[in-house]
Each structure stands twice: as structure tokens, then as C-alpha cells.
Amino acid sequence: MKRDEQDNTLRDMMKIHGLRYSKPREAILRFFARRDRHISAEDLYLALKKEGKNLSLSTVYLNLSVLENAGLIREFAGVNGEALYDSNISPHYHLQCKNCGDIYDLPVLTTEGMPLAKLLKEHAETTSGWQVDEPGLNLRGLCSSCQAVNDAEANRK
Amino acid sequence: MKRDEQDNTLRDMMKIHGLRYSKPREAILRFFARRDRHISAEDLYLALKKEGKNLSLSTVYLNLSVLENAGLIREFAGVNGEALYDSNISPHYHLQCKNCGDIYDLPVLTTEGMPLAKLLKEHAETTSGWQVDEPGLNLRGLCSSCQAVNDAEANRK
DNA sequence: CTCCCTGCAAATCCTTTGCATACAG
DNA sequence: CTGTATGCAAAGGATTTGCAGGGAG
């Protein structure tokens, strides 16, 4: 795809979603179209800075929230409570390593012919009478390499 | 139960869990023994202050984390990311109202003869090869009264 | 007597806000 | 033109940390 064709694609995408065009917004969308998903506002800011895009950190925060409201990206909470953003909006769960922060995408688990998250939501609504959001399932654990490090430390003691 | 009997019970509880006795620690344990579960560090600090117990906020933070490590209370994340503490350590899920913050305790849902959280954990471990924590399932939604308020606002427009 | 606990204030982290200016539609 | 987006710096809330003094075991 040629450069200006992609520009037009991104412009169109913004227009379709009722968003005004701006250079920072384009830079962020372009980033997500090409690179890492699962990034924090600060890391995105730094990554864009490295590419020579000097938008301000508050603009990054603003646009991440704008893009999330438009349904173009998804927000979820990292192990230390920071907001992370994912450009893959198809349903999946997140598993994050408590030690190194690495993220693993878990496929949806279906039980009794229904995605687990939906099952949970219905259980909660039936039990409580509340109106319940479908939960994002964010798990934490230790990735294989951090487990190895932990085990080695345990042996040393 | 007489006053000094309860004091001894609390002292014993601390000793059993390898905790040193201190007045602030006693005040916090006594609070959880008698009153609200589901409280934040700040609210606990204010509640104790009202009772005439003037411990510092940092002491409250410290002791909540100490008590959690000892397994006497459980920490979970509120809708705005704040840490909440629950003195009910038996297994259950939390459902919190996004609007008023009210918390509902959901009983554990069992599917295929297994608690949902365990099912999730095993799914995650099998899929990823990581070592996964059993997830605390914290849902959010709107309680009945906040739903009513929302509906009324929607009609007004 | 030693180590853990406390209180206070300052520090830190992540995120939001206020405001004047710039730019898209 | 009108309204939204930007950059900067300052504010904000929640939690942690450094340090000197106090109390438990």
C-alpha cells in the first residue's frame, strides 16, 4: 500500500467514526495499524517520540480515550493498575506476567455453549437484579521465563 | 463477649499469624470484626478517626497490606481502580455499581463441577503454559436504584 | 536490647484539567 | 467562522517512602 493511500484509509476511518482529522490522531492510529498492541499511554508517547512524532503526553491520553469511545481500540487494566490499550477489538482475554509485564492473549473459553464472560454476566444479573457489564477477563500469572528465574532464586536459598 | 476477652482473641489472632501487637493493628482488626467489609484505606482511616482512634493514614495502608499478606483480609480493585478490602475471605465474587459504588457479593458460580474461577485458571494455564493465579472475579454494573435514575434521565431528554 | 511499628511529610505514579493558541470542517 | 484539538504546566488522587522516635517481645 502506498503512503498516501494509507493516509486516506486512516482519514476515512476517522470520518466514519465521527472523528475529526489531526496529525497526532493519525500518528496514533498509524501506530496501532502497524505495531504493538497492548501499550500504555506513556509507552505510546515514547514510541511516537522515537519516530519523530512530538505530540504531548496529554494529547496521547486524550486520543486514547477518544479512540476507545469510538470503539477503535479497547482499554484494559494492567497488573499495576495502569491503563493499557489494545487495537485488537475482537473478543479475547488477557493474561499478564506479574514479573515482566508480558501479555498473552487467551482465546475465549466457551462452556455450556456460551462464552464464559457472558455466563458470568447472566449469573450476576440473575443473582443480583442489577444491570451488569460483560466483564473483561484479565488474568495474571508468571510467564515461563519468569517462573524459571523464580525457581532458580528459590534453590539458591 | 466481654471487652477484654475480645482483646485477647485479637491478640491471639495476631500472634497465630505471626504479627506483632500494636494499638493501630488492634483497632483495624476490631473494626473488621464488627463493621463494614468492602472499605478503602481512606474510608477506614476516617471511620477510625470518628471512633477517636487517631492512627495515621500511612499506618492504615501499611496494616492493610500486612493483614492481607497474613491472609486475614482480601484486597480487590474497585471500579475506579482504588484498592478495597474485604474481611470476608471465603470465596465469592464482587459486583460494584459504577454509579454509587455499592457492592454486592455474588456467590461462586460452578460449571462442569468446578468453580468458574478455577475453570478459567486451568484454561489459561493449558493454553499459555504460564503459571496463572486464580482470578478474583470483579464485575461492574448498575444497581437497581441507579438504573432507575438513569432511566428517568433518559426520558427527560 | 533489638527490631518492628508508628506518625509525619515529602515523594511518586498515573491521569486529568485549565487555558491560550492552532487548525479542521 | 465555529468548535474542537493541541501543548504546556499545573493539579489531582491514591499509595509509598524516608526518617526519627516509641514500644513490643
Side-chain angles (χ1 to χ4, degrees):
Chain A
M1 191 190 279
K2 276 180 299 183
R3 168 90 187 204
D4 51 350
E5 276 178 20
Q6 192 183 25
D7 282 4
N8 285 332
T9 307
L10 291 177
R11 276 191 127 94
D12 290 348
M13 187 186 294
M14 295 187 219
K15 188 174 290 185
I16 290 168
H17 290 273
L19 304 179
R20 214 180 245 205
Y21 170 88
S22 79
K23 272 210 197 92
R25 196 159 287 173
E26 186 204 312
I28 291 173
L29 278 177
R30 185 187 300 284
F31 181 92
F32 276 121
R34 298 210 192 137
R35 320 231 178 146
D36 269 8
R37 311 186 295 98
H38 308 142
I39 196 164
S40 70
E42 172 113 40
D43 287 347
L44 176 54
Y45 168 71
L46 294 173
L48 291 171
K49 180 173 265 181
K50 258 188 206 153
E51 296 181 3
K53 310 281 200 305
N54 270 307
L55 53 182
S56 75
L57 181 54
S58 50
T59 299
V60 173
Y61 273 104
L62 174 71
N63 277 295
L64 285 172
S65 120
V66 164
L67 296 176
E68 204 230 334
N69 286 328
L72 293 170
I73 60 177
R74 179 163 297 172
E75 182 189 322
F76 65 102
V79 286
N80 295 312
E82 358 73 87
L84 297 177
Y85 294 86
D86 190 349
S87 54
N88 175 6
I89 55 175
S90 60
H92 61 282
Y93 315 145
H94 288 120
L95 170 55
Q96 186 172 20
C97 179
K98 291 182 285 188
N99 187 239
C100 69
D102 190 24
I103 289 181
Y104 189 100
D105 278 351
L106 286 169
V108 166
L109 173 61
T110 298
T111 315
E112 299 182 346
M114 204 184 274
L116 214 65
K118 198 163 193 181
L119 207 61
L120 243 183
K121 170 181 155 77
E122 301 202 342
H123 164 68
E125 292 191 328
T126 308
T127 309
S128 66
W130 292 23
Q131 175 184 310
V132 179
D133 295 358
E134 187 154 327
L137 296 174
N138 302 314
L139 316 203
R140 48 200 56 192
L142 283 178
C143 69
S144 315
S145 36
C146 289
Q147 270 177 70
V149 172
N150 273 18
D151 291 350
E153 277 179 11
N155 285 334
R156 213 161 16 78
K157 282 171 192 164
Chain B
M1 193 189 281
K2 276 180 300 184
R3 168 88 186 206
D4 50 349
E5 276 179 19
Q6 191 181 26
D7 282 2
N8 285 332
T9 306
L10 291 177
R11 275 191 129 95
D12 289 348
M13 187 186 294
M14 294 187 220
K15 188 174 289 183
I16 290 168
H17 290 273
L19 305 178
R20 214 179 248 205
Y21 171 88
S22 80
K23 272 211 196 94
R25 197 159 285 174
E26 186 203 313
I28 292 174
L29 277 178
R30 185 187 299 285
F31 181 92
F32 276 122
R34 298 209 192 137
R35 321 234 176 144
D36 270 7
R37 311 187 295 99
H38 307 143
I39 196 165
S40 69
E42 173 115 38
D43 288 347
L44 176 54
Y45 167 71
L46 295 173
L48 290 171
K49 180 174 264 179
K50 260 188 203 153
E51 297 181 2
K53 310 279 200 308
N54 270 307
L55 53 183
S56 75
L57 182 54
S58 49
T59 299
V60 173
Y61 273 105
L62 174 71
N63 277 296
L64 285 172
S65 121
V66 164
L67 296 177
E68 203 229 336
N69 286 328
L72 292 171
I73 61 176
R74 178 162 298 172
E75 183 189 322
F76 65 103
V79 286
N80 294 313
E82 357 75 87
L84 297 177
Y85 294 86
D86 190 348
S87 54
N88 175 7
I89 55 175
S90 60
H92 62 282
Y93 314 146
H94 288 121
L95 169 57
Q96 185 172 20
C97 178
K98 290 183 285 191
N99 188 239
C100 69
D102 190 24
I103 290 181
Y104 188 99
D105 278 351
L106 286 169
V108 166
L109 175 60
T110 297
T111 314
E112 300 182 347
M114 205 184 273
L116 214 65
K118 197 163 192 181
L119 207 62
L120 243 183
K121 170 181 154 75
E122 300 202 342
H123 164 68
E125 293 191 328
T126 309
T127 308
S128 66
W130 293 23
Q131 175 184 310
V132 179
D133 294 358
E134 187 155 326
L137 296 174
N138 302 313
L139 315 203
R140 48 201 56 193
L142 282 178
C143 68
S144 316
S145 37
C146 289
Q147 270 177 70
V149 171
N150 272 19
D151 291 350
E153 276 180 10
N155 286 334
R156 212 163 15 81
K157 280 169 192 163

